[in-house]
Amino acid sequence: MASFQSNKINPDRFSWGQLKFFAFLGALSVFMILPIVFIFSQALKPIDELFLYPPKFLVQHPTFENFTMLFKATDVTVIPKSKYLFNSLIVTGAVVFLSIAISAMTGFALSKKEFKLKKAVFEVNIIALMFVPAAVTIPRYLVVQKLGLTDNFLGHILPMLALPVSVFLVKQFVDQIPDALLEAARLDGANDYYVFRKVVVPMILPALATVAILSFQLAWNNTETSSLYMNKETMKTFAFYMSTLTTTTAMENNIAGQGLAAAAALLMFIPNLVIFIFMQSKVMDTMAHSGLK
């Protein structure tokens, strides 16, 4: 009898008893996807539909006019937009790579190594989870200025490497690796570096994929470092360029600026959507194995 086994998260076969769960999850999925549909719809709306009252959620006459105006606006700037895009790619790539490396090594040390102040360091990381970025804006600015990182790529990168949630996530993941497995590797002659690289890292790949998504979103959408730490226009990022472009245009022509802002928001959102689609299975594994589900 193919009865539904309610005590299993992933039943072996379909059961009619699962229909109520499919109905609930289907309705929840539609609700969750509405913001994404709205971003695409806004970007494809002609000017008259953007200011239509009462506003319409879905576009009625889709057009690429907003994108055409956006690219025309970028063609008249003194500094080519490719320079801003290059800066964003360098900064985002460096932040993602260093965040993964730092979170993995810190999580391994806090979980499997013994050293003085180990518990204090972890408690500090827990306390750091409570601070929102706005609360540390002034101290962070003073540190960057004292280190002389103004108008330097490190001024973009270093402030975004402090990710306490990533350290906490990786540490919880490493905790689930049996100590006996690491001891067996050491008995075979492996040192700490070899154990970390060949044993620990392959087993925490889902957590590292989650760290990659979080750090990518943080770096790609960031405009704070460009506005606070960069005086030279050639050192600023693509996200900052898009925000100032739409703002400037909106001041000159408020109606056209709304269309540019909708198109720019979609262009900035698409990379986040793509990276999440490719890594979403790893994120689900992380939630399932870290006790956060």
Side-chain angles (χ1 to χ4, degrees), residues 108 113 186 190-197:
F108 173 64
K113 303 299 292 183
R186 292 191 178 97
N191 55 25
D192 282 339
Y193 175 70
Y194 189 89
V195 170
F196 171 74
R197 189 168 60 91

Side-chain angles (χ1 to χ4, degrees), residues 96-284:
V96 171
F97 175 77
L98 293 175
S99 296
I100 291 174
I102 292 173
S103 299
M105 290 188 288
T106 307
F108 173 64
L110 290 175
S111 177
K112 299 301 181 184
K113 303 299 292 183
E114 295 296 333
F115 55 90
K116 291 182 179 179
L117 301 178
K118 173 182 173 179
K119 292 184 178 180
V121 172
F122 185 63
E123 290 298 328
V124 169
N125 187 76
I126 295 295
I127 294 174
L129 289 171
M130 297 186 296
F131 288 90
V132 296
V136 296
T137 298
I138 295 177
R140 186 180 288 173
Y141 173 80
L142 295 175
V143 171
V144 171
Q145 189 182 39
K146 291 293 183 183
L147 291 176
L149 299 180
T150 305
D151 291 331
N152 190 309
F153 271 116
L154 292 178
H156 280 300
I157 297 170
L158 288 183
M160 286 186 282
L161 296 182
L163 287 174
V165 64
S166 299
V167 174
F168 175 78
L169 189 64
V170 174
K171 192 262 182 187
Q172 297 300 103
F173 220 86
V174 178
D175 282 346
Q176 300 177 50
I177 299 177
D179 293 335
L181 181 62
L182 305 185
E183 289 300 325
R186 292 191 178 97
L187 289 175
D188 288 338
N191 55 25
D192 282 339
Y193 175 70
Y194 189 89
V195 170
F196 171 74
R197 189 168 60 91
K198 294 293 186 180
V199 180
V200 175
V201 170
M203 299 184 71
I204 62 173
L205 284 180
L208 298 184
T210 305
V211 173
I213 292 176
L214 294 176
S215 56
F216 179 87
Q217 292 178 336
L218 178 67
W220 180 254
N221 300 316
N222 177 63
T223 60
E224 179 184 322
T225 56
S226 294
S227 60
L228 295 181
Y229 313 140
M230 303 297 147
N231 297 318
K232 295 181 180 177
E233 195 67 23
T234 55
M235 294 298 299
K236 296 179 178 179
T237 60
F238 193 66
F240 178 83
Y241 170 66
M242 282 293 183
S243 64
T244 55
L245 180 66
T246 55
T247 302
T248 304
T249 306
M251 292 174 62
E252 297 173 350
N253 187 340
N254 187 47
I255 297 177
Q258 295 301 314
L260 296 184
L266 178 59
L267 291 180
M268 294 301 299
F269 172 73
I270 286 178
N272 295 282
L273 180 64
V274 171
I275 192 171
F276 180 78
I277 289 174
F278 280 102
M279 293 188 173
Q280 55 97 13
S281 62
K282 297 294 184 182
V283 175
M284 295 302 106

